[in-house]
Amino acid sequence: MEPSNAIGSDRTVVVGNRVELQLLTTLKCNLRCSYCSLGVGEVLGSQRHAAYSAEQLETFVRTHLADKEVYITLYGGEPTLNTKFALDLMERFPGHRFNLQTNGTLLHRVPEKVLRRLSNIMVSVDGGEDVTDGFRGKGVYRKVLENVAAIRPKVFGTLTARVTWWSAETTLADLDSLARIFDYVYFQFAQDAAAYSAESLRRKKLVLAELVDRFFASDALYPIVPIMGIVRNKVLPSRINELSAGLTQCRVSTNLLNVMPDGKIYPCPDMLYVPELQQGDVIANWVKKSPLQPHDAMPCKGCEAYHFCRGNCMKNLHLAYVMNDGKWRSQVTEPTCDLIRFLGEQVDRHDPRRWFAERPLPDRRKIADAEVYEFCEVMP
Ligand code: SF4
Ligand code: SF4
C-alpha cells in the first residue's frame, strides 16, 4: 500500500474546501461513439462493474476527505447502466450533491428517486441532429431530446447539454436550439487532429463570434457556459481562485478525483491509460496530490489568454509539452489555444465589465456563481 496522505494532515493533497469524486461506475456503454477517448489504451469495456463497495468508498471519504464538501459525478462508460450503485451511494451519502454525466439514451429508465437527487444532469450530444447521429448512431439525437423532455418534470436540478465540438458543420442554430431546451450548454473543443483543418478552424471562429454576439445581445442570460465562465473570469478574476485555486478550471490539478471501477484514482478521465498518473486507490485507501500539474515547458504564463483560461486542458498541455508529442501539439493543442484566444478577444469586443454592471442581479449572481461551473470544465 502507498503511504496514505490524509487530507487532515496534508492539506495540499486536495486544494480548497470542495472535492469532486468522479466515479466511473462502469466502463460499459450502450453506444460506440466514433471518437470516445476511453477507446484509447483499450480502456472502454475493460472494467464492467465497480470492484469496490459503497462501504469502501465511505471509508476512503472518511479517511481522506472528512473536512471537505464532497460532491459526486456519476460517470462511465454509461452510468445509467448501473443505477443500483447510484442509489446505494445516494443512501450512504445523504448530504452529498450528485451530478450525472450521460449519453441520454437511457434516461427514461432512470428511477425517479435517482433523478430527484441529482443537482445536474450533463447530457452528451455533438451539435445538431445530423452531426450527433453521425457520431453516435441514427436516431440518437431525437431519442435524447425525447428523454430530456420526459424527465424534465421529475428533476429538481439543472439539465446541461454537453457538446463535444468536433464538426465544422455545427452552426449557431444547432447550439441555439440546445440553449432553448437545456438550462445550460457547455461545449468543449474536440481533442482530435481531424477537427482542426484550416477550414474547420475558420468555420468554428465564425460560429464562436456569432455565439458571443448573441450572448451580449440577449435580454435573458444566454446560458452558454464557456462564455459565461470567460466573462466571470474577466470581470471577477478572484472567482477563478475559489473553485480551482487559480489553476485549470476542470480541477484536475486541485480537486477532482476520478475513480475507476477497479478503485484506482486518476486526475483526468481521459488519461486512464497512463499508469504514472495514478494518484490513489479507493480499495487500498490512499491518495496523493494530482501529478497533472502546470510545468515550466507549458507556454501558459506568457499567453494573453492566461488571465481567464488558466491552462484550459492539462491533458492537452501535458501531451504537447511534457510528453513532447509534437503532432498533438501542432494539430490539437495549438489550434485549441488559438480558438480560446479568439473567444477571449470576441468577449473583449463587448466590454464585459460594463455589460455585467448593467445586468439584473439574478444574472450577475449566475455569472459569478452558477453551480454548473462545478460540474463541467468551464473552459472549452
Ligand atoms: S490558451 Fe493555451 S497557452 Fe494560453 S493559457 Fe490557455 S491553455 Fe495555456
Ligand atoms: S479538460 Fe482536459 S485535463 Fe481536464 S478533465 Fe478534461 S481532458 Fe482531462
Side-chain angles (χ1 to χ4, degrees):
M1 180 173 122
E2 296 264 339
S4 175
N5 288 307
I7 300 294
S9 59
D10 181 354
R11 299 184 64 85
T12 64
V13 173
V14 169
V15 181
N17 294 323
R18 295 179 195 175
V19 59
E20 177 177 3
L21 275 182
Q22 186 150 264
L23 307 180
L24 292 85
T25 56
T26 171
L27 296 184
K28 268 194 304 181
C29 186
N30 60 323
L31 296 182
R32 273 265 158 198
C33 304
S34 46
Y35 57 76
C36 181
S37 63
L38 291 178
V40 178
E42 301 302 318
V43 177
L44 188 69
S46 59
Q47 296 177 30
R48 299 183 78 77
H49 296 292
Y52 57 90
S53 64
E55 196 176 2
Q56 281 170 311
L57 186 69
E58 191 178 12
T59 301
F60 175 84
V61 168
R62 212 178 324 110
T63 311
H64 303 288
L65 308 174
D67 62 347
K68 307 285 168 190
E69 187 205 333
V70 178
Y71 64 98
I72 293 179
T73 290
L74 302 164
Y75 194 87
E78 175 47 46
T80 57
L81 290 168
N82 194 2
T83 51
K84 189 189 165 306
F85 193 66
L87 265 173
D88 284 355
L89 294 173
M90 287 170 172
E91 275 162 22
R92 194 166 286 265
F93 299 110
H96 291 9
R97 289 180 290 154
F98 284 84
N99 173 40
L100 175 69
Q101 169 65 60
T102 175
N103 65 33
T105 55
L106 303 173
L107 272 175
H108 59 297
R109 291 204 220 149
V110 176
E112 197 163 332
K113 210 170 163 188
V114 172
L115 292 175
R116 290 159 87 92
R117 272 288 269 123
L118 294 164
S119 294
N120 182 62
I121 303 176
M122 298 289 275
V123 182
S124 296
V125 288
D126 301 294
E129 182 170 0
D130 290 347
V131 172
T132 299
D133 286 1
F135 287 118
R136 290 169 185 263
K138 198 163 166 41
V140 167
Y141 184 83
R142 281 187 188 212
K143 178 69 191 158
V144 167
L145 293 197
E146 231 175 75
N147 284 349
V148 165
I151 64 161
R152 173 67 88 174
K154 300 177 193 165
V155 299
F156 295 154
T158 46
L159 283 158
T160 303
R162 183 198 189 97
V163 178
T164 303
W165 194 343
W166 194 98
S167 172
E169 307 298 321
T170 295
T171 62
L172 174 68
D174 293 333
L175 298 171
D176 193 55
S177 57
L178 292 171
R180 289 168 201 278
I181 294 165
F182 289 87
D183 299 301
Y184 295 103
V185 175
Y186 168 70
F187 63 80
Q188 188 170 41
F189 298 128
Q191 300 185 346
D192 188 323
Y196 300 110
S197 66
E199 176 59 9
S200 178
L201 271 175
R202 188 188 69 77
R203 291 172 71 169
K204 287 190 172 102
K205 284 183 178 175
L206 282 177
V207 177
L208 285 173
E210 289 175 329
L211 259 186
V212 173
D213 286 349
R214 182 151 304 186
F215 179 89
F216 285 101
S218 292
D219 288 334
L221 182 66
Y222 199 45
I224 309 290
V225 177
I227 303 178
M228 290 172 61
I230 290 174
V231 170
R232 176 197 67 172
N233 295 351
K234 285 178 176 284
V235 175
L236 303 167
S238 65
R239 294 276 165 164
I240 313 177
N241 298 329
E242 289 176 12
L243 293 178
S244 55
L247 298 174
T248 178
Q249 291 157 87
C250 69
R251 307 171 288 282
V252 293
S253 299
T254 49
N255 56 329
L256 169 63
L257 303 176
N258 286 278
V259 183
M260 296 273 282
D262 66 2
K264 291 195 172 72
I265 300 172
Y266 291 82
C268 168
D270 264 24
M271 298 188 88
L272 304 171
Y273 56 92
V274 184
E276 57 271 26
L277 290 182
Q278 188 185 347
Q279 74 171 111
D281 192 314
V282 163
I283 296 171
N285 198 15
W286 65 274
V287 65
K288 63 181 185 180
K289 183 179 172 173
S290 165
L292 208 46
Q293 295 294 330
H295 188 282
D296 286 347
M298 296 173 185
C300 299
K301 289 266 168 73
C303 172
E304 69 201 49
Y306 182 68
H307 68 283
F308 67 86
C309 172
R310 298 304 171 108
N312 187 38
C313 169
M314 290 303 290
K315 167 196 163 185
N316 269 349
L317 294 166
H318 188 85
L319 287 176
Y321 301 104
V322 180
M323 294 172 81
N324 279 316
D325 184 335
K327 207 167 154 199
W328 189 273
R329 179 166 63 215
S330 61
Q331 296 184 5
V332 179
T333 310
E334 288 174 354
T336 305
C337 290
D338 181 28
L339 290 175
I340 289 167
R341 284 189 284 267
F342 178 80
L343 198 43
E345 284 161 19
Q346 296 307 303
V347 167
D348 284 342
R349 281 180 50 235
H350 294 272
D351 193 352
R353 282 167 199 82
R354 177 183 292 271
W355 174 87
F356 182 77
E358 290 170 358
R359 293 305 293 189
L361 187 56
D363 288 0
R364 278 187 275 150
R365 285 209 177 110
K366 261 194 186 171
I367 289 287
D369 216 12
E371 192 182 18
V372 71
Y373 296 142
E374 294 180 72
F375 301 131
C376 64
E377 292 88 333
V378 186
M379 285 298 109

